[in-house]
Amino acid sequence: MDTQTDSKIDTRTDSKIRLLLRILRNPIVNLLVFYYLMSKARDIGFAHLLSPEIAPNQVQSLIGGVLIVANLLLVYFSWGHFVERRRISELALPPLGREIGIGLLLGFGLMTTCVLIAIAFGVYRIEGLNWQNLVAGVTGFVLLVPISEELIFRGVVFRILEGVFGGWLALALSSVVFGLIHMGNEGESLAGIAGIVCVYGPMLAAPYMLTRHMWVGFGLHAAWNYTMGKVYSVNISGAEAEGLFKASLTGPELLTGGSAGMEGSLIGIVVGITFTVVTLILAVRRGTIVPPSWKHKAGSGVR
């Protein structure tokens, strides 16, 4: 009798779990809940591990940043494995070193290209050096921001939208979300937000669409931000930065980006769009653009 009762209870419990998983796998529910969990994990970690009171020096800040990133990856893999029931192929280990290296070179090269163009136009001037800022700039915050944003906005928002609407529409929608999130940044301008939506959101999603991995995006995002703020002392999304070069970015706002910095300038926009277009052309030729779910056919899809 007890065995039969226990069996019925187990059956009802299993049914409830299966129902809950079906609800959580709905794309809209999946997107909202997964986004919330990842954002909450980042914000709690930031508040408890990277505040000036808890991490007053660079070493403690770096340790805190590593711990937060590790926790974010744990949440990401756990959700993918237990809820989505899928292989986390976008974070496959074999291409990690090579693709992160490519991303770092791209981020440094693209921002350096922007600065060289600004020098040619006479709006960026180097006035001295601050060598100590180059090393001091490597903090937990610098590590956390690009990795957490890539996991949340490309790994969660773009990937889930892509599975429903296909690559092109997901590119547009996720870039809008990415831009709106930056509206709260102090010093950010309308031009900067427009640049993030139309240029830098697509610029960061394009490598994922090409490689089907997130590693290039991690490296690109980190090197772009670090090179911009900690090397060339250019505002990052409206936030003032002091880096290796004592420099001034003055002149027409069209070329300087105003308070938004290089990301709000015509220079940054042209460089970003050029990179994005080239990357997406390569993705089309490689056949890695995901079609909308209603166009999926047996045996078709991304190679």
Side-chain angles (χ1 to χ4, degrees):
M1 190 67 176
D2 290 342
T3 302
Q4 291 178 346
T5 302
D6 290 343
S7 178
K8 290 179 181 179
I9 292 173
D10 291 342
T11 301
R12 286 197 296 269
T13 302
D14 289 343
S15 297
K16 290 179 180 179
I17 292 175
R18 285 195 295 269
L19 176 61
L20 176 60
L21 288 175
R22 280 201 299 270
I23 293 172
L24 290 175
R25 287 173 192 150
N26 175 276
I28 296 176
V29 177
N30 186 17
L31 175 57
L32 294 176
V33 176
F34 199 4
Y35 180 92
Y36 174 81
L37 290 175
M38 291 291 291
S39 299
K40 207 67 177 174
R42 177 196 59 190
D43 295 343
I44 291 174
F46 182 82
H48 289 85
L49 291 173
L50 287 184
S51 64
E53 297 79 15
I54 297 172
N57 59 56
Q58 186 179 10
V59 173
Q60 289 173 310
S61 174
L62 276 172
I63 293 172
V66 170
L67 290 174
I68 297 171
V69 169
N71 185 51
L72 284 171
L73 289 170
L74 177 62
V75 174
Y76 192 90
F77 273 91
S78 298
W79 185 271
H81 179 74
F82 293 109
V83 177
E84 296 179 324
R85 301 286 189 180
R86 67 182 185 88
R87 186 169 63 91
I88 318 299
S89 58
E90 67 272 22
L91 292 175
L93 291 178
L96 185 155
R98 178 176 60 86
E99 292 188 356
I100 281 188
I102 291 171
L104 290 172
L105 288 173
L106 284 171
F108 175 79
L110 290 170
M111 181 48 60
T112 298
T113 299
C114 292
V115 169
L116 290 175
I117 294 172
I119 290 174
F121 278 107
V123 296
Y124 182 89
R125 298 174 183 84
I126 296 174
E127 300 163 351
L129 292 174
N130 284 315
W131 287 105
Q132 69 276 12
N133 288 342
L134 193 63
V135 177
V138 183
T139 63
F141 185 76
V142 169
L143 174 71
L144 173 64
V145 170
I147 295 178
S148 64
E149 289 189 348
E150 288 309 300
L151 285 171
I152 293 170
F153 293 103
R154 258 59 68 182
V156 177
V157 178
F158 174 80
R159 179 183 58 80
I160 294 174
L161 290 173
E162 181 188 50
V164 179
F165 300 109
W168 296 118
L169 189 51
L171 181 69
L173 293 174
S174 64
S175 296
V176 170
V177 175
F178 188 51
L180 293 177
I181 291 298
H182 285 78
M183 288 185 69
N185 290 359
E186 186 177 351
E188 186 62 275
S189 67
L190 185 60
I193 297 297
I196 292 172
V197 172
C198 300
V199 182
Y200 305 111
M203 184 181 85
L204 291 168
Y208 179 89
M209 298 173 75
L210 173 63
T211 65
R212 309 310 306 172
H213 300 128
M214 297 183 64
W215 305 122
V216 174
F218 284 156
L220 171 59
H221 197 157
W224 172 272
N225 282 5
Y226 184 82
T227 305
M228 179 164 42
K230 301 304 179 180
V231 176
Y232 296 120
S233 304
V234 175
N235 288 6
I236 305 174
S237 297
E240 292 186 5
E242 184 179 1
L244 170 64
F245 293 107
K246 294 178 182 179
S248 61
L249 185 63
T250 56
E253 192 165 322
L254 184 67
L255 296 178
T256 66
S259 62
M262 195 65 72
E263 290 181 338
S265 72
L266 181 62
I267 296 170
I269 289 171
V270 170
V271 170
I273 288 177
T274 301
F275 168 77
T276 303
V277 169
V278 171
T279 305
L280 291 176
I281 289 173
L282 292 174
V284 170
R285 290 180 176 177
R286 189 178 290 184
T288 55
I289 304 294
V290 175
S293 58
W294 55 87
K295 289 187 178 181
H296 288 176
K297 298 178 181 179
S300 69
V302 177
R303 293 197 298 271

